[in-house]
Amino acid sequence: MAVRTLGQFSFDRGEISPKYAGNVDTDNYRRSLALCENFIVLPQGMLTRRPGTHFVCEVKDSSKKVSLRAFEYSALDTYIQEWGENYIRFYRDFGQILDGSDEIYEVTTTYTESQIPEIDYEQVSDTLYLAHGEKSPATLTRVDHDDWTLDASPTFTAKPSEWTGTNWPKKVAQHQQRLCFAATPTKPRKMWLSRTPTTSGPRLLDFTTGSSDDNALIFDIIGTGEMQWLASGRALYLGTTDETRTVSGAGGFYEPITPDSILNRDHANERGAAIKPVRMNNSLFFVSLSRKRLHEFIYAFEDDAFNAPDVTKWSEHIAGPGTDNGIVEIAITRDPVPIIWGCRDDGQLIGMTYDRESGVYAWHRHKIGGTFGGNPWGKVESIASVFMGGRDVLWMVVARTINGETKRYIEYMEPFHDPVDKDDIATARYLDCCIEHSEETPQTTFDGGEYLEGEDVLVFADGVRLPSQTMPESGEITLPSERTASQVVIGYNAPALATTLPFDPGSVQGTGRAKEKRTLGAYIDLLDSADLSIGRDAENQNKVTFMTSQTELGSIPSLYTGIKELPINATSDKEAVFTFGADGPLPCNVRAFVLKEKTGQ
């Protein structure tokens, strides 16, 4: 028998598919996990708990689905829009915008619940241009925070004759100062590019054709397949149900498109879904037609063409099981951690931490607190990202069953915990759909939780986790044992779990993958952590204590940084797989995991 110490020192491949769990001899395998739930992989390879979500308000009508849209007028004036049936509501500075009479400000529209997810949009300066195949293109213009104007039938110059009745463009983008419309129901591969601006101003709604360089362009994309998305980059990018293409000037990428200079290239035969893509630097990410894969559309100098590799290859399961599951929407947060987010049909939130230079494409899954549709998680139905409060913030619509009724809430993800010192625990935010109280004078009771009536919630009071409570009808929580606190957070628990892949200790005869192993010890390298548990699986977890002989009775242990020896039950098997994680309101950051194994030669 031999004793070997095995370690995993990076998690920067995230959660991989069970189909790859036999690739024990690859570097990707040694940096991956079998499960990464409510943990986020950082580009440095560390695992950190997903921040919780903050409750903002209920949507206007919880019986109907809504969609979120981002709008960035400037770095300081950024907005989230709630698009529901026949209305739009607005959010700024993490709250809902009210009018001069302190009523909820909204704009009336004619879009139905079923039409809203089909609306394509493009922001140019202070205006959002809207496209839907059954309706005329429209504009939504910002005048002030509580002053927006929707023009359902803007005036076009030389409006194309095909645009009439219920035959209008379904897609819109802006490229080289032209507004680009595409794909009417009867002409799914046709494009219309507006005139370029003059010294007197933009001509984004002018489609006057001619031979001058600034004239509008009208042309068809040769081939098969229906236009699914448009985006601007090195060229005008477009995806169809059959291929991915670019449109540029005849001189090549970056060349202006003019009536006498246009080059339409077919690059990758990857089919695209009608889901708006997102961009990170020189890469464009789009969802496959099956909605099961995410592709990175990127220029390759060696090929002098764009390629579209599948970035879900190692995690092909991430979009969800079954033919009825897939990615519904995607969004991107760039700062402080670059993550491409997606929501699935079953309501789970997925994310891919992305750092192309370091080769990081790390997937993780997230179950937002609550229940819906028989699943033990809240259903994320729509997402959008906007720069707000000095960071990129992911906003979401979450559906839950509360008191037997469907409730849809607007929430945003809290910031990553960035402690100023080892005693800064109270600023951690890991509860979902939470509210926060900050009082000058310590109190015993805290209100405002009626939106979670009847739900089991956790209370985080001045850095201490208190026992769970059932939210009363009044929405008022009373701290136990006559305790008082100044800073209190109330919300759903959202446990984080990570499961390792089987370790291969090797042997003198080659692989040790199929050999019986006895775990003699387990160790974990932590950074600024206050909660951790470990076990053979998620149902059998042992808590790690952060109390020491120097910790005063009744005080809060400081955040721990260093290596912890873990409480495990020594057993023998062929897998040597462990699940570790954290729950409640406390931070957990894992840098490495080490096992001491005894195995046959």
Side-chain angles (χ1 to χ4, degrees):
M1 302 293 285
V3 176
R4 292 178 172 86
T5 301
L6 312 170
Q8 182 166 354
F9 307 110
S10 176
F11 307 95
D12 65 2
R13 272 296 176 183
E15 180 178 309
I16 65 167
S17 165
K19 295 177 181 178
Y20 281 93
N23 289 242
V24 297
D25 58 340
T26 65
D27 183 56
N28 280 339
Y29 179 94
R30 290 185 283 269
R31 295 153 51 198
S32 302
L33 291 163
L35 174 72
C36 189
E37 183 176 291
N38 286 342
F39 272 117
I40 289 175
V41 182
L42 298 184
Q44 298 83 356
M46 185 180 82
L47 293 179
T48 187
R49 285 193 69 182
R50 169 185 60 79
T53 67
H54 193 101
F55 171 78
V56 179
C57 65
E58 185 177 355
V59 303
K60 183 178 181 179
D61 181 355
S62 277
S63 69
K64 298 180 183 295
K65 291 185 177 181
V66 304
S67 294
L68 300 183
R69 302 284 184 264
F71 188 98
E72 298 194 4
Y73 180 70
S74 69
L76 297 178
D77 285 334
T78 60
Y79 306 85
I80 288 291
Q81 302 170 353
E82 172 194 333
W83 284 70
E85 183 162 274
N86 303 137
Y87 77 91
I88 311 170
R89 289 182 170 184
F90 303 86
Y91 301 83
R92 178 177 180 267
D93 289 341
F94 301 103
Q96 194 167 38
I97 293 180
L98 307 178
D99 62 18
S101 302
D102 287 336
E103 299 292 332
I104 297 173
Y105 177 75
E106 68 176 48
V107 169
T108 300
T109 78
T110 60
Y111 296 107
T112 64
E113 178 186 10
S114 62
Q115 289 174 332
I116 289 168
E118 301 169 345
I119 300 171
D120 198 16
Y121 55 94
E122 179 77 0
Q123 182 185 341
V124 181
S125 187
D126 60 354
T127 300
L128 201 64
Y129 292 86
L130 310 170
H132 188 284
E134 299 174 0
K135 294 178 177 288
S136 166
T139 60
L140 177 67
T141 303
R142 174 200 176 276
V143 179
D144 206 342
H145 308 317
D146 58 354
D147 188 358
W148 298 70
T149 301
L150 179 70
D151 188 346
S153 300
T155 300
F156 291 94
T157 301
K159 180 177 73 70
S161 59
E162 299 100 321
W163 297 5
T164 185
T166 57
N167 189 65
W168 300 89
K170 294 189 287 185
K171 304 299 171 185
V172 61
Q174 186 271 338
H175 182 68
Q176 293 178 344
Q177 301 186 79
R178 298 179 187 268
L179 199 60
C180 312
F181 286 106
T184 63
T186 60
K187 297 289 184 179
R189 297 179 66 88
K190 194 163 188 176
M191 300 190 69
W192 296 264
L193 276 61
S194 73
R195 301 187 72 181
T196 56
T198 63
T199 55
S200 60
R203 296 189 290 194
L204 296 177
L205 299 181
D206 187 341
F207 290 88
T208 303
T209 58
S211 58
S212 299
D213 286 351
D214 67 346
N215 277 128
L217 296 89
I218 301 175
F219 56 91
D220 287 291
I221 302 298
I222 304 301
T224 61
E226 180 180 347
M227 197 91 66
Q228 298 287 77
W229 52 263
L230 290 174
S232 179
R234 182 189 289 256
L236 178 60
Y237 306 150
L238 59 96
T240 76
T241 55
D242 190 54
E243 69 224 345
T244 312
R245 310 179 70 96
T246 62
V247 179
S248 66
F253 304 120
Y254 293 125
E255 284 293 311
I257 303 172
T258 69
D260 295 326
S261 179
I262 183 169
L263 181 61
N264 176 18
R265 302 183 187 182
D266 175 12
H267 290 272
N269 61 346
E270 296 292 353
R271 307 174 190 271
I275 296 173
K276 200 168 186 66
V278 296
R279 180 178 172 183
M280 171 69 82
N281 296 327
N282 292 320
S283 295
L284 188 82
F285 293 88
F286 69 91
V287 178
S288 69
L289 184 59
S290 67
R291 299 191 295 116
K292 291 290 189 178
R293 295 179 291 150
L294 186 71
H295 292 274
E296 181 179 14
F297 193 52
I298 187 168
Y299 180 74
F301 289 96
E302 62 273 18
D303 299 331
D304 190 27
F306 283 80
N307 294 327
D310 175 10
V311 297
T312 49
K313 178 182 177 181
W314 273 77
S315 305
E316 51 77 39
H317 69 299
I318 205 71
T323 56
D324 294 331
N325 218 339
I327 299 171
V328 177
E329 284 184 345
I330 56 176
I332 189 167
T333 52
R334 300 174 179 86
D335 188 5
V337 177
I339 300 174
I340 297 166
W341 298 95
C343 53
R344 312 189 324 190
D345 281 300
D346 66 0
Q348 286 194 34
L349 182 69
I350 59 176
M352 185 187 77
T353 303
Y354 172 74
D355 183 352
R356 181 175 177 80
E357 289 72 21
S358 301
V360 177
Y361 296 79
W363 285 98
H364 29 91
R365 291 185 299 108
H366 305 274
K367 295 179 178 178
I368 304 299
T371 60
F372 187 77
N375 292 320
W377 59 80
K379 183 179 182 180
V380 179
E381 295 184 328
S382 183
I383 55 175
S385 166
V386 72
F387 188 80
M388 192 174 289
R391 63 184 177 97
D392 284 330
V393 182
L394 184 71
W395 288 65
M396 62 191 78
V397 178
V398 185
R400 298 182 178 88
T401 301
I402 298 177
N403 256 354
E405 297 182 5
T406 294
K407 294 291 185 179
R408 290 184 164 91
Y409 294 152
I410 305 290
E411 302 167 38
Y412 61 82
M413 192 172 290
E414 297 274 19
F416 288 96
H417 185 224
D418 187 17
V420 296
D421 56 43
K422 64 180 182 178
D423 296 319
D424 184 11
I425 295 179
T427 57
R429 297 290 178 268
Y430 295 107
L431 302 182
D432 283 344
C433 198
C434 73
I435 55 172
E436 179 179 349
H437 289 269
S438 294
E439 309 291 344
E440 292 185 6
T441 303
Q443 297 182 9
T444 300
T445 59
F446 298 87
D447 58 12
E450 56 275 1
Y451 65 98
L452 292 179
E453 179 189 348
E455 298 293 285
D456 289 335
V457 296
L458 286 183
V459 181
F460 189 45
D462 288 345
V464 177
R465 172 181 177 162
L466 301 182
S468 64
Q469 297 189 38
T470 299
M471 182 65 70
E473 182 180 359
S474 65
E476 186 174 82
I477 287 290
T478 300
L479 304 187
S481 304
E482 299 183 350
R483 176 190 288 269
T484 61
S486 298
Q487 193 168 22
V488 169
V489 183
I490 304 167
Y492 287 110
N493 189 17
L497 292 170
T499 301
T500 63
L501 291 163
F503 282 84
D504 183 1
S507 75
V508 294
Q509 298 171 328
T511 181
R513 177 67 180 86
K515 289 186 177 295
E516 197 78 10
K517 309 171 189 68
R518 183 175 179 82
T519 303
L520 303 179
Y523 309 86
I524 202 159
D525 186 6
L526 300 171
L527 173 68
D528 293 332
S529 297
D531 192 83
L532 181 69
S533 60
I534 186 169
R536 285 291 187 177
D537 51 48
E539 288 71 35
N540 299 283
Q541 294 279 295
N542 296 318
K543 274 289 186 182
V544 176
T545 179
F546 288 85
M547 304 287 287
T548 68
S549 58
Q550 285 75 42
T551 305
E552 295 183 8
L553 187 64
S555 66
I556 304 171
S558 299
L559 293 171
Y560 182 86
T561 296
I563 296 176
K564 273 277 187 185
E565 184 171 1
L566 304 176
I568 60 169
N569 297 321
T571 56
S572 296
D573 59 26
K574 291 182 172 63
E575 300 297 334
V577 169
F578 284 88
T579 295
F580 57 84
D583 69 355
L586 298 172
C588 178
N589 303 291
V590 180
R591 297 188 289 198
F593 181 68
V594 176
L595 282 181
K596 184 180 288 186
E597 296 286 335
K598 189 174 185 179
T599 184
Q601 297 290 337

